[in-house]
Amino acid sequence: MDLSYSDEERAFREDVRAFLAEKLPKDLSDKVKRGEELGKEGHERWHAILNDQGWLATNWPKEFGGAAWNAVQRHIFEEEAAAHHAPRIVPFGLSMLAPVLQKFGSKEQQDYWLPRILSGEDWWCQGYSEPGAGSDLASLKTTAVKDGDHYIVNGQKTWTTLGQHANMIFCLVRTDKDVKQQEGISFLLIDMDTPGITVRPIILLDGSAEVNEVFFDNVKVPAENLVGEENKGWTYAKYLLTHERTNIAGVGFSQAGLSAVKRIAKSEMAGGRPLIENPHFAARVAQAEIDLMAMATTNLRIISKAAAGQAPGVESSMLKVKGTIIRQEINDLARRAAGVYAMPFASEAVAGSNDALPDPNDAGPVAAQYFNNRKLSIFGGSNEIQRQIIAKTMLGGAK
Amino acid sequence: MNFDLTEERQMLQDSLRRFLRDKYDTATRNGILESDAGFSAEIWNGLAELGVIGALFTEEQGGFGGAGFDVTTVFEELGRAGVVEPLLDSAVLAGGLIADLGNETQQEHVEALIGGELQLAFAHGEPGSRYDLNRVTSTAAQNGSDIVLNGRKAVVANAEAADMLVVSARESGEAGDEAGISLFLVPADAKGLTVTGYALLAGGRAAEVTLDDVTLPESARLGAAGKAFDAIEARTAVATTALCAETLGAMETACTLTREYLGTRKQFGRPIGSFQALAHRMSDLLIDLEQARSAVINAAGHLADDRASRERHVSAAKNLMGRVGRLVSEDSIQMHGGIAMTQEYELAHIAKRITIADHRFGDTDHHLERFIALSAA
Ligand SMILES: Cc1cc2nc3c(=O)[nH]c(=O)nc-3n(C[C@H](O)[C@H](O)[C@H](O)COP(=O)(O)OP(=O)(O)OC[C@H]3O[C@@H](n4cnc5c(N)ncnc54)[C@H](O)[C@@H]3O)c2cc1C
Ligand SMILES: Cc1cc2nc3c(=O)[nH]c(=O)nc-3n(C[C@H](O)[C@H](O)[C@H](O)COP(=O)(O)OP(=O)(O)OC[C@H]3O[C@@H](n4cnc5c(N)ncnc54)[C@H](O)[C@@H]3O)c2cc1C
């Protein structure tokens, strides 16, 4: 057991810092710090900068053009990126679809789609959830019927994150209604420009426009866009979900969030003293920090254990539950710290249309972020579903 | 002991509930949220006609209520419907201070307020005061027969709509002193008064208010010079109790929506409420909802007590509402799943009202510390 970083790992951290100091555009990090939406252009610009450095697809094997970083490297990068307010990497193509294509896609599909993910030619979104199929994903109803060399797709997806920017969507569709639910699902790649697709925004409670409904009305999809075998989509979907969950502990985000809490609490005054000196508030911050220190090590332990390319099992559910609880607790501390300045509507403060709000302690968007991040325990398999998975695995058959 | 509402209060509750059910559905309210004014003049007038504003004042102040349970009866209903019209700021706080301290001429504003013809705001908190009522640094200086105000007030709810602001300023002493604070009636068009507004996350609008040599005649002073603190604290106690009742109403709605949803939303072929993981959490919310109801009753029932008892019960209620509010708001959203994250679903607004209430008149921690101090005294 050795908790210290090796010389190579320390050197790697220095490389990451130097890169971020030099290459991270200030307008983007400012937006991240203020909790503003980056817009399509902002995300694409950052992806391109990472791709030039060869650091975009850190989890891909080298043969596909990835950086093939180990767990510790990924952890170091995540920590530094969050500390520097780098935009998050949009995961849909890079860490959700790509592992599926690399494992189950045809050679042609790999050769065609993977480079386009790296270059940013395609922006992918995830078409899993439907109005009636959330936690019970396998009950999904969107159908794909084979018609010669095409599928005809009908139905609706919802909660499609950043679907407004996407030109491609990977979907779970029903190709057989007469078998057990899980055995009639296929994995299809669909061009969002195909006639018959309508995208409608859903405004979330913090005023943000990050999710959408996507409607399919007799949409023609080339049969070659089927990934793997027909009716085997559930296997691929579950494989993808475990990948979705490995990134979800969000240790780097929590660390950056905790620093922001301390920053706010240093400038916010309570009883004529900085809030950070208030024993009650200091105790809350300390409690979160203690949890986060342990979480960082749990995260490293679990991702180190999983051999490269192999997703961890039940432990990823544990990471998701604990990681999101801690992140949400830190969001709660931030809104507490801001006091009365948590009340203004963030989007107004954030849009810069209003200089009445005091910017220095970046108190503006904290309450909006607190509400927005309620999603963390809902999506990617809700925390109740994760606990169910843990119980099933560890207690054997408990329902 | 008797925990029933009096006949008058029962009638008030029934008529207000009916009015809001007919006039204040989710779509209407969400339209109001997005409007420039941030509240509806039509609803305001309707509430005035119904006697809702009058219910917040005693008979000698021109109303027909004014006791703790009148206030909580009104605000619980407002909270259930997620009402964003500025009754708390215009009526309970600013109007209440004029009623408590005003001379005969000043009292006329209360009559106009009760009739629905006047909007008011209370400009007290400052950028560095957080939740402390005594931390006033804005100054009031005597200049011949005039008074000159300077300073800055933070997140003043309803300031843009107000015809008149009740502004606190210091005539002597230092920030943190209770003595030396005075209140002044400042017309919205006073020279040197700047009001920069913005929308609030949970509805309504507020503003940063700056006072730059705002010059007033002495007759603008409300009550005795330098002696306003006790009245401010007592009024804030009424407003805090009102806010607790509003939060209770909002929590009732959150629990009702969640209960209904647990019964109708199906996943895995069964209502999600049949999963024990959710059923037990719902039970916990319902248990805590009853605790919240009792805390509000405790605060309202002790509002007329001496300072120590009144403030101790108010702080107890606000602390409990902060804790239970967080639980109800977060768990209601969680048990709904994605749907509760959408702006157009009723719970989204209700959950925001519950949480943002923790940011007015002192949060959970502030009132915990205050309760400890008041209990030791
Ligand atoms: C902001 C946001 C972004 C999203 N982005 C995407 C995206 O890009 N692509 C996509 O496909 N989906 C996306 N989702 C959808 C997300 O995956 C679903 O919201 C999630 O699967 C939960 O489904 P639901 O919302 O329908 O809730 P439901 O499944 O209806 O769940 C409601 C409640 O019941 C609980 N529950 C359900 N079943 C059980 C059980 N067996 N035991 C105990 N409790 C249970 C849940 O935990 C939850 O508390 C997103 C969601 C949000 C909120
Ligand atoms: C000090 C003491 C005094 C008592 N006095 C009396 C008495 O006067 N009269 C009398 O009739 N009984 C009495 N009891 C017995 C008591 O009612 C039982 O202990 C109780 O019903 C639990 O049963 P059990 O101990 O067999 O635990 P089990 O029923 O085996 O429960 C074990 C655990 O599983 C949980 N559990 C069980 N079923 C469920 C479920 N459906 N969902 C979720 N969790 C579940 C329980 O909460 C518990 O944590 C007493 C017990 C004690 C300890």
Side-chain angles (χ1 to χ4, degrees):
Chain A
M1 200 72 69
D2 181 5
L3 282 180
S4 55
Y5 288 104
S6 68
D7 288 343
E8 296 88 79
E9 285 161 351
R10 272 197 296 270
F12 177 74
R13 189 183 287 276
E14 287 313 315
D15 287 349
V16 172
R17 281 190 185 150
F19 165 77
L20 290 168
E22 192 192 340
K23 294 286 171 59
L24 173 60
K26 185 159 181 332
D27 64 311
L28 294 185
S29 59
D30 282 350
K31 278 189 176 173
V32 171
K33 196 171 172 188
R34 289 195 301 261
E36 283 180 43
E37 287 174 29
L38 286 190
K40 188 176 189 188
E41 183 278 332
H43 284 294
E44 286 181 337
R45 185 144 49 97
W46 180 233
H47 278 205
I49 291 168
L50 287 170
N51 192 38
D52 283 347
Q53 178 79 5
W55 286 2
L56 182 57
T58 60
N59 58 331
W60 295 14
K62 286 232 159 67
E63 54 184 300
F64 294 114
W69 282 351
N70 64 28
V72 176
Q73 286 176 304
R74 291 222 294 273
H75 172 77
I76 289 172
F77 183 81
E78 200 191 307
E79 238 177 29
E80 292 299 327
H84 286 79
H85 307 287
R88 69 169 192 143
I89 296 175
V90 181
F92 306 107
L94 282 156
S95 46
M96 293 189 189
L97 176 63
V100 171
L101 288 179
Q102 287 161 9
K103 192 162 167 86
F104 304 106
S106 66
K107 178 85 176 54
E108 292 73 41
Q109 286 172 334
Q110 291 172 350
D111 289 346
Y112 184 74
W113 297 112
L114 293 175
R116 294 169 63 94
I117 293 176
L118 287 181
S119 69
E121 265 170 284
D122 291 329
W123 181 305
W124 287 90
C125 63
Q126 179 186 25
Y128 274 27
S129 305
E130 299 180 2
S135 299
D136 185 10
L137 187 56
S139 70
L140 61 94
K141 291 200 166 61
T142 298
T143 55
V145 179
K146 192 78 174 277
D147 180 20
D149 56 356
H150 281 82
Y151 286 98
I152 305 295
V153 177
N154 278 290
Q156 183 198 343
K157 295 294 175 181
T158 191
W159 309 120
T160 321
T161 298
L162 300 184
Q164 71 268 37
H165 300 326
N167 65 315
M168 291 296 298
I169 180 169
F170 55 89
C171 283
L172 292 181
V173 291
R174 186 154 300 289
T175 38
D176 191 340
K177 289 180 187 170
D178 302 324
V179 290
K180 199 172 155 244
Q181 278 183 341
Q182 285 81 350
E183 287 160 13
I185 292 170
S186 298
F187 197 107
L188 263 192
L189 312 178
I190 304 178
D191 187 331
M192 301 276 284
D193 289 331
T194 321
I197 295 183
T198 315
V199 179
R200 244 188 251 153
I202 299 174
I203 306 298
L204 294 186
L205 79 177
D206 61 324
S208 65
E210 62 182 49
V211 297
N212 302 271
E213 298 177 290
V214 182
F215 298 88
F216 300 85
D217 181 15
N218 287 319
V219 173
K220 247 177 112 176
V221 180
E224 69 211 40
N225 283 13
L226 175 77
V227 174
E229 290 175 52
E230 199 171 273
N231 296 326
K232 291 277 161 61
W234 189 247
T235 311
Y236 316 149
K238 287 214 306 202
Y239 179 78
L240 182 157
L241 281 176
T242 30
H243 272 270
E244 183 177 353
R245 278 170 209 151
T246 45
N247 304 328
I248 220 153
V251 171
F253 292 119
S254 287
Q255 287 168 338
L258 197 63
S259 304
V261 168
K262 290 179 182 174
R263 219 165 41 236
I264 297 170
K266 272 183 194 142
S267 57
E268 172 77 8
M269 301 296 279
R273 315 271 325 150
L275 177 64
I276 195 85
E277 294 174 15
N278 174 294
H280 214 94
F281 191 78
R284 283 187 188 270
V285 174
Q287 211 72 90
E289 188 159 3
I290 290 165
D291 286 348
L292 182 55
M293 283 161 65
M295 177 78 224
T297 299
T298 309
N299 189 45
L300 271 172
R301 279 199 297 126
I302 290 176
I303 53 184
S304 307
K305 213 171 88 183
Q310 201 191 319
V314 68
E315 291 93 342
S316 74
S317 293
M318 294 184 168
L319 279 181
K320 204 243 155 174
V321 173
K322 200 67 197 175
T324 54
I325 288 175
I326 291 173
R327 259 179 94 180
Q328 290 178 333
E329 179 63 25
I330 289 169
N331 286 135
D332 181 73
L333 289 178
R335 67 131 186 114
R336 277 178 206 279
V340 292
Y341 280 110
M343 289 167 59
F345 200 102
S347 60
E348 207 157 330
V350 158
S353 63
N354 195 316
D355 18 282
L357 297 173
D359 188 56
N361 49 15
D362 41 16
V366 290
Q369 273 165 10
Y370 161 84
F371 281 111
N372 185 281
N373 272 346
R374 300 315 307 164
K375 72 188 175 193
L376 298 177
S377 48
I378 295 172
F379 67 17
S382 74
N383 282 11
E384 289 72 34
I385 295 298
Q386 305 297 345
R387 291 187 181 99
Q388 205 61 31
I389 293 170
I390 297 166
K392 247 192 200 160
T393 316
M394 317 274 280
L395 306 179
K399 265 246 158 187
Chain B
M1 289 234 175
N2 175 3
F3 293 107
D4 297 332
L5 289 179
T6 59
E7 208 175 306
E8 291 80 24
R9 288 181 188 135
Q10 188 63 58
M11 276 167 57
L12 178 66
Q13 185 186 68
D14 292 346
S15 60
L16 181 51
R17 190 172 294 184
R18 213 174 313 118
F19 175 82
L20 292 171
R21 195 179 48 217
D22 295 346
K23 298 264 156 88
Y24 214 79
D25 60 18
T26 305
T28 309
R29 206 257 335 285
N30 287 354
I32 295 172
L33 286 177
E34 279 171 23
S35 66
D36 288 343
F39 75 94
S40 155
E42 193 190 325
I43 295 292
W44 181 264
N45 289 329
L47 291 169
E49 271 169 40
L50 215 56
V52 171
I53 304 176
L56 304 172
F57 294 90
T58 62
E59 269 174 48
E60 52 187 41
Q61 293 169 336
F64 46 85
F69 291 116
D70 298 306
V71 174
T72 53
T73 300
V74 167
F75 275 85
E76 185 180 338
E77 291 311 309
L78 299 178
R80 287 169 64 104
V83 171
V84 298
E85 277 59 29
L87 273 95
L88 190 62
D89 299 284
S90 219
V92 178
L93 278 171
L97 283 165
I98 298 175
D100 294 342
L101 294 175
N103 57 33
E104 227 168 284
T105 327
Q106 291 165 335
Q107 296 279 354
E108 284 166 17
H109 298 310
V110 178
E111 199 185 319
L113 173 78
I114 290 175
E117 296 142 36
L118 191 71
Q119 285 291 342
L120 299 167
F122 179 37
H124 180 57
E126 299 182 0
S129 65
R130 198 169 167 91
Y131 303 125
D132 300 326
L133 295 177
N134 53 9
R135 207 151 288 279
V136 174
T137 61
S138 297
T139 55
Q142 196 88 33
N143 182 11
S145 62
D146 286 341
I147 291 163
V148 183
L149 302 185
N150 278 290
R152 157 135 182 226
K153 298 292 179 179
V155 198
V156 182
N158 204 37
E160 293 165 301
D163 302 296
M164 195 175 283
L165 285 83
V166 176
V167 177
S168 64
R170 187 168 285 289
E171 298 206 66
S172 64
E174 286 172 31
D177 290 351
E178 290 178 4
I181 301 171
S182 300
L183 291 173
F184 301 92
L185 282 175
V186 180
D189 58 2
K191 202 163 155 271
L193 181 77
T194 315
V195 175
T196 314
Y198 42 80
L200 297 176
L201 187 66
R205 294 180 65 82
E208 300 301 288
V209 173
T210 49
L211 306 153
D212 188 7
D213 284 335
V214 173
T215 305
L216 306 165
E218 276 222 58
S219 59
R221 193 189 277 109
L222 205 53
K227 295 209 159 58
F229 181 81
D230 288 351
I232 293 172
E233 189 183 59
R235 256 302 134 187
T236 304
V238 181
T240 307
T241 305
L243 184 61
C244 287
E246 184 186 330
T247 308
L248 171 66
M251 295 196 310
E252 286 165 8
T253 299
C255 287
T256 304
L257 289 168
T258 308
R259 251 162 78 186
E260 283 168 9
Y261 197 74
L262 291 185
T264 52
R265 171 69 170 173
K266 283 195 177 138
Q267 290 288 277
F268 305 100
R270 41 198 272 214
I272 56 173
S274 68
F275 298 119
Q276 205 177 59
L278 301 190
H280 281 194
R281 274 163 94 172
M282 189 71 234
S283 306
D284 280 341
L285 295 195
L286 295 170
I287 293 167
D288 271 345
L289 183 63
E290 292 312 313
Q291 285 287 89
R293 191 182 310 286
S294 295
V296 170
I297 290 171
N298 283 347
H302 290 278
L303 263 185
D305 289 7
D306 61 43
R307 174 185 181 266
S309 170
R310 177 190 76 208
E311 296 298 327
R312 191 165 167 275
H313 284 97
V314 167
S315 277
K318 192 66 168 51
N319 169 270
L320 189 136
M321 299 311 282
R323 288 182 289 130
V324 173
R326 179 183 181 192
L327 187 80
V328 170
S329 142
E330 291 184 353
D331 277 15
S332 295
I333 293 175
Q334 182 67 24
M335 287 193 272
H336 273 83
I339 185 78
M341 295 286 298
T342 62
Q343 184 151 297
E344 64 180 26
Y345 188 65
E346 178 68 8
L347 179 61
H349 174 70
I350 292 291
K352 285 190 277 183
R353 297 291 291 179
I354 294 171
T355 303
I356 290 301
D358 195 37
H359 293 265
R360 292 207 74 182
F361 314 136
D363 65 5
T364 317
D365 289 355
H366 175 87
H367 283 285
L368 184 69
E369 286 165 7
R370 204 162 171 269
F371 181 84
I372 294 169
L374 288 159
S375 302

